[in-house]
Amino acid sequence: MSRYDHTQVEPKWQAAWAEAEVFAARHDPERQKYYVLEMFPYPSGRIHMGHVRNYTMGDVIARYKSSAGFSVLHPMGWDAFGMPAENAAMATGGHPKTWTYNNIAVMRDQMKPLGLSIDWSREFATCDPEYYGQQQSMFLDFLEKGLVYRKNAVVNWDPVDMTVLANEQVIDGCGWRSGAPVERRELTQWFFRISDYSDELLSALDGLEKWPEKVRTMQANWIGKSRGLQFAFTLTAPVADFTGIEVYTTRPDTLMGASFVGISPDHPLARQLEAEREDIAEFCNECRQMGTSEADMEKAEKRGFDTGLTVRHPLDESWELPVWIANFILMDYGTGAIFACPAHDQRDLDFARKYGLPVKNAFFSLGDDTPVGNEALVPMKSEKVRFTDHFAGIEDVTGEDAVEATIRFAEGQGWGKGVENFRLRDWGLSRQRYWGCPIPVVHCADCGVVPERKEKLPVLLPDDVSFDVPGNPLDRHPTWRDCACPSCGKPARRETDTMDTFVDSSWYYARFTAPRAATPTDPAEAAYWMNVDQYIGGIEHAILHLLYSRFFARAMNICGHLPDSAREPFDALFTQGMVTHAIYLTRNAEGRPVYHYPEDVEQKDGKTVLKESGAEVEVIPSAKMSKSKNNVVDPLNIIRDFGADTARWFILSDSPPERDVEWTASGAEAAFKHLQRVWRLADDVRQRAEEAGAAGPSDEARPEDDKALEKATHRAIADVTAGIEGFAFNTSVAKLYAFTNTVAKSRASAAVKAQALRAMSQLMSPMTPHLAEEVWTMLGGEGLVATAAWPAADPAMLVEDTVTLPIQINGKKRSELQVPADMDKAGIESLAMADAAVQKALAGGQPKKLIVVPGRIVNVVV
RNA sequence: GCGGGCGUGGUGGAAUGGUAGACACAGGAGACUUAAAAUCUCCAGGCGCAAGCCGUGCGGGUUCGAGUCCCGCCGCCCGUACCA
């Protein structure tokens, strides 16, 4: 073989790894374990470059840690329940189950050629009855511990299709299929009590030191702990049983700027008024003609309705405030009612200006008594402001001090109390859909809601369902719902709601530790393998999936399924960026874009043109890969043409892992060429070594070249290892490029070169494992490189004798100094002062300041 | 709307507050070749003949020194609780 042939080499080594069972996770009490996990995929039908990137990064860590002596767990599974399967069934008439399992088979076949070090014996899909049965069992445990309950909540209701819609199925307030305006409708739904853990989930974030700061910040903001005042405004005239309106405010210090009281359209008082008055019912119904998503509600026009009711200001009996119903007030947060202070809240101000409500400053900026116009005065809470006529007797204080003073005042007078509030709501897990884990309870006319008996689990999804009409097939199944009450034995009905798919993904990491156990987890396995040492996935999961998983680990711990030490399941988290690709487009006669596949365009004379017609195309760089834009690169094509190692090498090389990476054909080719070059270099050294061996020590000895290459090898070991440890794989790759250049140019002996290349193959093995095995074997490495111990850099080989110090004059580089690495400050100073450029700048005078940072820089200020 | 992040040559990017542009792509020049491909060598931020000046989205600030820290903008991306 004179050329590296990936089509032959890659399957060969994959077979060798399988034969030796190199990637089987072994529970070995003698060795330290390492659990690396990538967020498991949804089986959409094809793997894409984003998957390749995610799993390659995990594989680098897994292989590196394995070489470093750890017993590694690196599993793979499928997040297999969810809407797309039902949508496919509706569109093509198939069954979600066949669609899903077919997709899994296809994607598994696409992943295997990547040569990932995955323990496939642990694979499962969340739609396997063995998995969701255990999930049902845990649901019953949660129920017993009071971690699940039922309450009413609103959903998006499509009045034409008579079905519940997901937020993404609501487009501009209308159902995606029917086009009918959606309505908010209330249903009784199951909830996890995640909000009981708000404080713990918040404070425990501090311990997650190996999580990105941005994710911890996002979660903290999402949990949204606040301190404020809760108190009631008294209605001047009671309505039915309502004598007042309870409000929560984080800015009680602005109470003297109150303008009106606002309540949610879903507030009990609004409901009461709705029943009495047609105009209010009409307004509330209009407010409900909207999807439930927060973004939609916040972006919608702020609208209000004056109820005509009034309340008394708590500090002034004679001050009456109007009560408005407003569409932007959420029933889920606080008490579902607020008082508005337009002067110090932009949203309140816009509302006040729109409806002609009063605007009165509660405070002013120091030294500026201009009343608020159309821009609310919202200073930082840490900034001092001047309060006017404040009841608590405060004047020039910061916002936060003012809040506390006001709370103390209200508590002292007994009309309000300081409370802590959280934005985090309980987790609604009910879904009115078929393709999910059935909620294992029974509704009995006599006994109410009764848990199914554990020995009857799993409650299996029926196979005989149809998707020809919208709605939940479980609800209209002729027999599935019918059952006997587990408590009294009388005829009863099964719950037809299934679980949110976030439930499935909230504990899969724990199941991987004992995927075939007859209980949700096996305590001994969970104790050994948990926690996940390195979790890798997309930033889009920063809040929901990760927060739900953190809650679930706590709930599982309470029920005895996880040890105390696993209440925080992910020790380290890394969020990787997307894979993007340029979009190529031309315009049709109407000016509409026509998208072209990457393989249909070429570069010509610095322009990007269509191969067929030569017409110039517009290029939109770095766009998210999307089928509709024809800019998707299929990993299988890359693997076929260049091999898995090339795909892996390129996807790691071009961008820092946390940022987006743009897939380019030229970049992939360059990666391929480089791998070929490494192979040729190894092949060449192998031949030379053999010739040298046959002819005796004829190889000309060059001790200084040998020493230089040995030093470079240790430098490479240190730098590449640091890159892997620090999740900077792109810099590891850059160091390996540089090291390849060094080896190629080196005039060291064949023996030393062979040694350098064996080290290189080890350093490359986490990234390009197939090529690494080939090179390792060619140059006499023993056994598999996959099982060889990671090389260690000798610190003595890393020290440099001399360093180059830049000399700056007034912060700009003007000269350089070569000095011994250990030279002291005084020595450097005198050398710097003697420098020609410095002499010139000083023009005989003395420097104002001389800064010497040994080993770093000299700065002369003149 | 709100919360979080990102922005460096023609391109992807490198850089513990200390020489901005490592490494690579595209480009240019050369070697080898009948020729091409492949491979190898060299050049290369912008302006300028040069000395030098200007340069990390924009505008300010802190510092001996800012891509890096702070404040204010602009643009793009992620999330926004029933997409996964």
Side-chain angles (χ1 to χ4, degrees), chain A residues 561-578:
Chain A
H561 298 304
L562 280 178
D564 292 349
S565 55
R567 282 172 77 95
E568 276 303 339
F570 311 124
D571 277 357
L573 172 71
F574 189 86
T575 54
Q576 99 271 6
M578 291 184 303

CSV table of all heavy atoms in Angstrom, one decimal, chain A residues 561-578:
chain,number,residue,atom,x,y,z
A,561,HIS,N,-33.7,5.9,44.5
A,561,HIS,CA,-33.1,5.4,43.3
A,561,HIS,C,-31.8,5.9,42.9
A,561,HIS,O,-31.1,5.4,42.0
A,561,HIS,CB,-34.1,5.7,42.1
A,561,HIS,CG,-35.4,5.1,42.3
A,561,HIS,ND1,-35.6,3.7,42.4
A,561,HIS,CD2,-36.7,5.6,42.4
A,561,HIS,CE1,-36.9,3.4,42.6
A,561,HIS,NE2,-37.6,4.6,42.5
A,562,LEU,N,-31.3,7.0,43.7
A,562,LEU,CA,-30.0,7.5,43.5
A,562,LEU,C,-29.4,7.8,44.8
A,562,LEU,O,-30.1,8.2,45.7
A,562,LEU,CB,-30.0,8.8,42.6
A,562,LEU,CG,-30.2,8.6,41.1
A,562,LEU,CD1,-30.2,10.0,40.4
A,562,LEU,CD2,-29.0,7.8,40.5
A,563,PRO,N,-28.1,7.7,45.0
A,563,PRO,CA,-27.4,8.0,46.2
A,563,PRO,C,-27.4,9.6,46.5
A,563,PRO,O,-27.6,10.3,45.5
A,563,PRO,CB,-26.0,7.5,46.1
A,563,PRO,CG,-25.8,7.5,44.6
A,563,PRO,CD,-27.1,7.2,44.0
A,564,ASP,N,-27.2,10.0,47.7
A,564,ASP,CA,-27.2,11.4,48.1
A,564,ASP,C,-26.2,12.1,47.2
A,564,ASP,O,-26.4,13.3,46.8
A,564,ASP,CB,-26.8,11.6,49.5
A,564,ASP,CG,-27.8,11.1,50.5
A,564,ASP,OD1,-29.0,10.8,50.0
A,564,ASP,OD2,-27.6,10.9,51.7
A,565,SER,N,-25.1,11.5,46.9
A,565,SER,CA,-24.0,12.1,46.1
A,565,SER,C,-24.4,12.5,44.7
A,565,SER,O,-23.7,13.2,44.0
A,565,SER,CB,-22.8,11.3,46.1
A,565,SER,OG,-23.1,10.0,45.6
A,566,ALA,N,-25.6,11.9,44.2
A,566,ALA,CA,-26.0,12.1,42.9
A,566,ALA,C,-27.2,13.1,42.7
A,566,ALA,O,-27.8,13.1,41.7
A,566,ALA,CB,-26.3,10.8,42.2
A,567,ARG,N,-27.4,13.9,43.8
A,567,ARG,CA,-28.5,14.9,43.7
A,567,ARG,C,-28.2,15.9,42.6
A,567,ARG,O,-29.1,16.5,42.0
A,567,ARG,CB,-28.8,15.5,45.0
A,567,ARG,CG,-29.6,14.6,46.0
A,567,ARG,CD,-29.7,15.2,47.4
A,567,ARG,NE,-30.6,16.3,47.5
A,567,ARG,CZ,-31.9,16.1,47.9
A,567,ARG,NH1,-32.3,14.9,48.2
A,567,ARG,NH2,-32.7,17.2,48.0
A,568,GLU,N,-26.9,16.2,42.4
A,568,GLU,CA,-26.5,17.0,41.2
A,568,GLU,C,-25.9,16.0,40.2
A,568,GLU,O,-24.8,15.6,40.4
A,568,GLU,CB,-25.5,18.1,41.6
A,568,GLU,CG,-26.0,19.3,42.2
A,568,GLU,CD,-27.0,20.0,41.3
A,568,GLU,OE1,-27.0,19.8,40.0
A,568,GLU,OE2,-27.8,20.8,41.8
A,569,PRO,N,-26.6,15.6,39.2
A,569,PRO,CA,-26.2,14.5,38.4
A,569,PRO,C,-25.0,14.8,37.4
A,569,PRO,O,-24.3,13.8,37.0
A,569,PRO,CB,-27.4,14.1,37.6
A,569,PRO,CG,-28.2,15.4,37.5
A,569,PRO,CD,-27.9,16.1,38.8
A,570,PHE,N,-24.8,16.0,37.1
A,570,PHE,CA,-23.7,16.3,36.1
A,570,PHE,C,-22.6,17.2,36.7
A,570,PHE,O,-22.8,18.4,36.9
A,570,PHE,CB,-24.3,17.1,34.9
A,570,PHE,CG,-25.6,16.4,34.3
A,570,PHE,CD1,-26.8,17.2,34.2
A,570,PHE,CD2,-25.6,15.1,33.9
A,570,PHE,CE1,-27.9,16.6,33.7
A,570,PHE,CE2,-26.7,14.5,33.4
A,570,PHE,CZ,-27.9,15.3,33.3
A,571,ASP,N,-21.5,16.6,36.9
A,571,ASP,CA,-20.4,17.3,37.5
A,571,ASP,C,-19.9,18.4,36.6
A,571,ASP,O,-19.6,19.5,37.1
A,571,ASP,CB,-19.2,16.3,37.8
A,571,ASP,CG,-19.4,15.6,39.1
A,571,ASP,OD1,-20.4,15.9,39.8
A,571,ASP,OD2,-18.6,14.7,39.4
A,572,ALA,N,-19.6,18.1,35.4
A,572,ALA,CA,-19.1,19.1,34.4
A,572,ALA,C,-20.0,19.1,33.2
A,572,ALA,O,-20.5,18.1,32.8
A,572,ALA,CB,-17.7,18.8,34.0
A,573,LEU,N,-20.2,20.3,32.7
A,573,LEU,CA,-21.1,20.5,31.5
A,573,LEU,C,-20.3,21.2,30.5
A,573,LEU,O,-19.6,22.2,30.8
A,573,LEU,CB,-22.3,21.3,31.9
A,573,LEU,CG,-23.2,21.7,30.8
A,573,LEU,CD1,-23.9,20.5,30.1
A,573,LEU,CD2,-24.3,22.7,31.2
A,574,PHE,N,-20.5,20.8,29.2
A,574,PHE,CA,-19.9,21.6,28.1
A,574,PHE,C,-21.0,21.8,27.1
A,574,PHE,O,-21.6,20.8,26.7
A,574,PHE,CB,-18.7,20.9,27.5
A,574,PHE,CG,-18.0,21.8,26.5
A,574,PHE,CD1,-17.0,22.7,27.0
A,574,PHE,CD2,-18.3,21.8,25.2
A,574,PHE,CE1,-16.4,23.5,26.1
A,574,PHE,CE2,-17.7,22.6,24.3
A,574,PHE,CZ,-16.7,23.5,24.7
A,575,THR,N,-21.1,23.0,26.6
A,575,THR,CA,-22.1,23.3,25.6
A,575,THR,C,-21.5,23.6,24.3
A,575,THR,O,-20.7,24.6,24.2
A,575,THR,CB,-23.1,24.5,26.0
A,575,THR,OG1,-22.3,25.6,26.3
A,575,THR,CG2,-23.9,24.1,27.2
A,576,GLN,N,-21.7,22.8,23.3
A,576,GLN,CA,-21.0,23.0,22.0
A,576,GLN,C,-21.9,23.8,21.1
A,576,GLN,O,-23.1,23.9,21.2
A,576,GLN,CB,-20.6,21.7,21.4
A,576,GLN,CG,-21.5,21.1,20.3
A,576,GLN,CD,-22.6,20.2,20.9
A,576,GLN,OE1,-22.8,20.1,22.1
A,576,GLN,NE2,-23.3,19.6,20.0
A,577,GLY,N,-21.2,24.5,20.1
A,577,GLY,CA,-21.9,25.3,19.1
A,577,GLY,C,-22.5,24.4,18.0
A,577,GLY,O,-22.3,23.2,17.9
A,578,MET,N,-23.2,25.1,17.1
A,578,MET,CA,-23.8,24.4,16.0
A,578,MET,C,-22.8,24.2,14.8
A,578,MET,O,-21.8,24.8,14.8
A,578,MET,CB,-24.9,25.3,15.4
A,578,MET,CG,-26.1,25.5,16.3
A,578,MET,SD,-27.4,26.4,15.4
A,578,MET,CE,-26.6,27.9,15.0
